Amino acid sequence: MIHLKDFWRTVRRTLVACMLGAAIPALAGRPVNPPFVIKHLGDGQSIVQIDEPKKFLLLPVEEVSPEAKLYMIADNDVVRSMNVRLAINKVDYFVPVDLTGFDNKNLSFNFQLIPDSALCWAEMKLSDEFETSNREKFRPAYHFSPVYGWMNDPNGMVYKDGVYHLFYQYNPYGSMWGNMHWGHATSTDLISWEHHGLAIAPDALGTIFSGSCVVDKDNTAGFGAGAIVAFYTSASDRQVQSMAYSLDNGKTFKKYARNPILTSTQRDFRDPKVIWHENTKKWIMVLAVGQEMEIYSSADLKNWTLESKFGEGQGAHGGVWECPDLLELPVEGTELKKWVLICNLNPGGPFGGSATQYFVGTFDGKRFVNESPAMTKWMDWGKDHYATVTWSNAPQGRVIALGWMSNWLYANDVPTRQFRSANTLPRDLTLYTSEGETYVKVSPSPELLKLRGKAEKKRAFKVDRTYDMDNMLSDHAGTYEIEMTVRNKDAKVIGFQLFNSKGEEVEMYYDLAAGKFFMDRTKGGDWTFSKEFPAITAAPVEGGVEMKLRLFVDKSSIEAFGNGGRFAMTNLVFPTEPYNRISFYAKGGSYSVTSFTVYRLGTN
């Protein structure tokens, strides 16, 4: 007896075998004469010849499949290469290969490492459209995320002529890491984003890793006054630094003809951050090299001189240092400014995996000196805040940071398919002092106030037992901001839970004796994709009678900002339904909630 499923599998494989050397007969939903020809060459190699001009070749992806190598060929020249996890047994989703720009050329693809019996041969198709409407319940409502595909580090963030440019590490051929390009989006308000597709694509020097952009106002490089100049790592067997420039405000980039501009014998040599140093009238580049930073200077953005190194014996060294940034910030309440060196590392974060540390000190154009070499300072105390860098040329002297909202421990495995990963909310950075130490204050950018819609306020109430507020969150569809102030009387622990009808909850509490704020997502929803996901994260807090908290809840994330940004905590969550209830509790005494407001949030 043959099962029906086995029967159809046999039929499917028989049909696929008919593709050898010729177009196949009609399949479900296919024309009798398909617009391409598939030729299998043996040993996992196949040729697909495009016979009908269309905008996209749609490739079926199965994420558990190994990567196959594809070469796109126009008139016998390789014009593009990519790695795609093509469907062997089932289709998870489709990704498009853009075929535009090759009019009057013969297009074909060389596929390698794909068996002749794979399902992809029957499922791939040509189309003039690629459907991008959201199909994900966990896609954020007000955080930036790619329309489709994989995103990690924010790159090249630059402000020019009223527009914020966000470039980012991007895989357009799947929702897992690979095929690194720079994607591009723009905004005039840091809230609503317009997508622009690919900005910088791989070439003979390698794929396009992280980097930065500057506005060359005085034409020091000779590309043109006001050119946006991008610096990025070309990653192949070795990592080298390359440059490209745009004369149309970031719409298109031309790669510098004499790339690479900087090389090294070190294997980890990446993520150039370039700034202008006014005192020395030079450009400064900071590079992540293994577990230290190298600092270079240049007068023309093309020729670079090594000035110093920083890192030995400084901060956390649990993993490779990445994505540096160097910036000058004002110290609140004074006329002083100090320099901050941001250093992302993976692994080695305080709760495992990826995290962002920073150093405060001085910089003279050649050397950075950390004023507190015995301390490790973290910019965010959650588990999902990484690759944090700031906008170049930001208006009004502001320093605005953005991070990647994930962790390398499970970033490829989170329960989304159409896309993976989002950015954190934009955050304005300043400095403050406490007990003789200087720290970075991380405040939600003021533009976020524009997100606020309907507001619900609750009068002050006392908490000495569980206080359940059933209806406060029910109308907010899982996307809201909570702003609260609590005043302690004699409680040892001040806490609350966000929860839903499925019994899923995220608990947050101040432990006054420990001097910490905790967020517990161990019961927050789906964590089955990774045993590394359940976590309780903790941030140090200063003692005091009154504590303020701003909480941003989106479809799959919670960001907490305490006491005006003196601590920040970012964690992903994947509840099966929104957290639409909140309850408060106290241990060892009582406290009062003196103000409590919920705002519905969403993009304009």
Side-chain angles (χ1 to χ4, degrees), residues 372-552:
S372 303
M375 293 188 67
T376 299
K377 299 177 179 179
W378 302 103
M379 185 169 288
D380 188 287
W381 293 89
K383 199 163 180 174
D384 297 300
H385 176 275
Y386 190 58
T388 308
V389 287
T390 63
W391 259 279
S392 173
N393 198 46
Q396 301 166 339
R398 294 170 62 189
V399 178
I400 309 168
L402 197 70
W404 174 47
M405 196 160 57
S406 198
N407 190 307
W408 279 117
L409 288 172
Y410 42 74
N412 278 293
D413 305 313
V414 297
T416 61
R417 285 288 175 84
Q418 181 184 18
F419 81 104
R420 277 202 177 89
S421 297
N423 289 131
T424 65
L425 292 176
R427 306 163 183 209
D428 278 47
L429 306 183
T430 55
L431 294 173
Y432 73 96
T433 57
S434 177
E435 298 181 353
E437 280 292 335
T438 305
Y439 300 94
V440 171
K441 178 181 281 190
V442 181
S443 303
S445 294
E447 285 85 352
L448 296 172
L449 296 175
K450 299 176 184 177
L451 283 172
R452 290 179 173 178
K454 178 182 177 182
E456 296 179 63
K457 295 185 179 182
K458 182 74 175 177
R459 290 184 178 180
F461 55 92
K462 181 181 177 181
V463 180
D464 57 7
R465 56 182 174 77
T466 298
Y467 187 92
D468 197 354
M469 296 162 54
D470 285 359
N471 299 320
M472 288 297 292
L473 307 180
S474 60
D475 188 39
H476 296 282
T479 60
Y480 49 86
E481 177 191 352
I482 297 176
E483 194 170 34
M484 70 173 79
T485 302
V486 299
R487 178 172 289 274
N488 190 34
K489 181 181 178 183
D490 52 5
K492 302 296 188 295
V493 175
I494 298 171
F496 61 94
Q497 294 115 350
L498 298 175
F499 62 104
N500 60 28
S501 67
K502 304 295 185 181
E504 298 164 340
E505 67 176 35
V506 175
E507 183 177 9
M508 284 164 268
Y509 56 95
Y510 289 93
D511 186 322
L512 283 306
K516 291 184 177 181
F517 173 84
F518 292 85
M519 187 185 301
D520 180 351
R521 71 175 181 196
T522 57
K523 300 176 184 177
D526 185 11
W527 58 268
T528 57
F529 53 88
S530 172
K531 63 181 177 58
E532 301 286 352
F533 189 77
I536 302 174
T537 58
V541 295
E542 299 163 345
V545 174
E546 189 172 83
M547 288 167 281
K548 296 180 182 293
L549 187 67
R550 287 181 72 184
L551 207 65
F552 292 84

Side-chain angles (χ1 to χ4, degrees), residues 207-229:
T207 54
I208 312 301
F209 275 18
S210 295
S212 59
C213 285
V214 298
V215 178
D216 189 9
K217 300 174 184 178
D218 298 323
N219 196 25
T220 61
F223 300 135
I228 294 179
V229 185

Side-chain angles (χ1 to χ4, degrees), residues 6-297:
D6 295 330
F7 169 78
W8 285 113
R9 182 182 293 118
T10 302
V11 170
R12 186 183 70 203
R13 289 181 175 175
T14 302
L15 289 171
V16 171
C18 293
M19 298 177 189
L20 287 169
I24 63 172
L27 293 173
R30 279 280 188 87
V32 174
N33 297 308
F36 53 81
V37 174
I38 301 173
K39 298 180 179 180
H40 297 300
L41 310 180
D43 297 326
Q45 299 195 42
S46 300
I47 297 290
V48 173
Q49 296 174 325
I50 308 299
D51 287 342
E52 180 180 321
K54 293 284 186 179
K55 188 173 182 180
F56 300 112
L57 175 65
L58 302 183
L59 299 176
V61 171
E62 182 181 5
E63 289 195 337
V64 298
S65 296
E67 289 186 325
K69 189 75 175 180
L70 279 68
Y71 296 93
M72 180 175 171
I73 301 166
D75 286 352
N76 299 318
D77 291 326
V78 174
V79 293
R80 199 179 300 163
S81 64
M82 63 206 76
N83 298 312
V84 184
R85 298 177 184 273
L86 289 167
I88 304 296
N89 298 300
K90 71 182 185 71
V91 178
D92 291 329
Y93 52 84
F94 286 85
V95 294
V97 179
D98 191 344
L99 305 182
T100 59
F102 296 96
D103 296 342
N104 303 317
K105 289 183 180 291
N106 292 306
L107 285 180
S108 62
F109 286 82
N110 185 338
F111 289 72
Q112 299 185 3
L113 306 176
I114 288 293
D116 298 356
S117 61
L119 178 61
C120 64
W121 306 118
E123 294 291 339
M124 71 175 61
K125 61 192 82 171
L126 287 168
S127 176
D128 283 326
E129 296 181 349
F130 177 64
E131 177 60 48
T132 59
S133 59
N134 180 41
R135 300 184 295 276
E136 298 282 354
K137 65 184 267 187
F138 292 127
R139 183 182 287 277
Y142 56 89
H143 291 75
F144 177 83
S145 59
V147 174
Y148 67 92
W150 163 275
M151 179 185 75
N152 55 293
D153 308 353
N155 296 158
M157 301 190 311
V158 65
Y159 177 86
K160 187 172 187 287
D161 297 337
V163 176
Y164 292 92
H165 293 264
L166 169 62
F167 302 93
Y168 51 91
Q169 290 284 276
Y170 184 47
N171 180 8
Y173 305 122
S175 296
M176 301 175 75
W177 184 91
N179 302 300
M180 285 294 96
H181 295 63
W182 274 21
H184 184 204
T186 57
S187 175
T188 58
D189 60 5
L190 293 173
I191 301 300
S192 300
W193 293 92
E194 181 180 356
H195 294 267
H196 300 290
L198 302 179
I200 303 178
D203 56 28
L205 290 176
T207 54
I208 312 301
F209 275 18
S210 295
S212 59
C213 285
V214 298
V215 178
D216 189 9
K217 300 174 184 178
D218 298 323
N219 196 25
T220 61
F223 300 135
I228 294 179
V229 185
F231 301 86
Y232 57 91
T233 299
S234 296
S236 185
D237 292 336
R238 289 287 175 171
Q239 296 176 359
V240 299
Q241 311 317 312
S242 295
M243 177 169 60
Y245 60 94
S246 173
L247 302 179
D248 56 7
N249 282 354
K251 293 179 182 177
T252 60
F253 280 88
K254 181 176 178 61
K255 292 173 180 173
Y256 180 48
R258 293 185 61 82
N259 281 337
I261 58 172
L262 205 55
T263 62
S264 173
T265 59
Q266 298 295 312
R267 187 163 294 277
D268 293 311
F269 179 68
R270 57 179 175 264
D271 309 340
K273 174 67 181 200
V274 176
I275 66 168
W276 175 255
H277 188 251
E278 183 63 29
N279 288 349
T280 58
K281 303 297 183 185
K282 286 187 176 181
W283 296 102
I284 302 298
M285 178 189 291
V286 187
L287 278 166
V289 186
Q291 290 197 4
E292 65 180 6
M293 302 299 183
E294 292 184 351
I295 298 175
Y296 295 78
S297 69

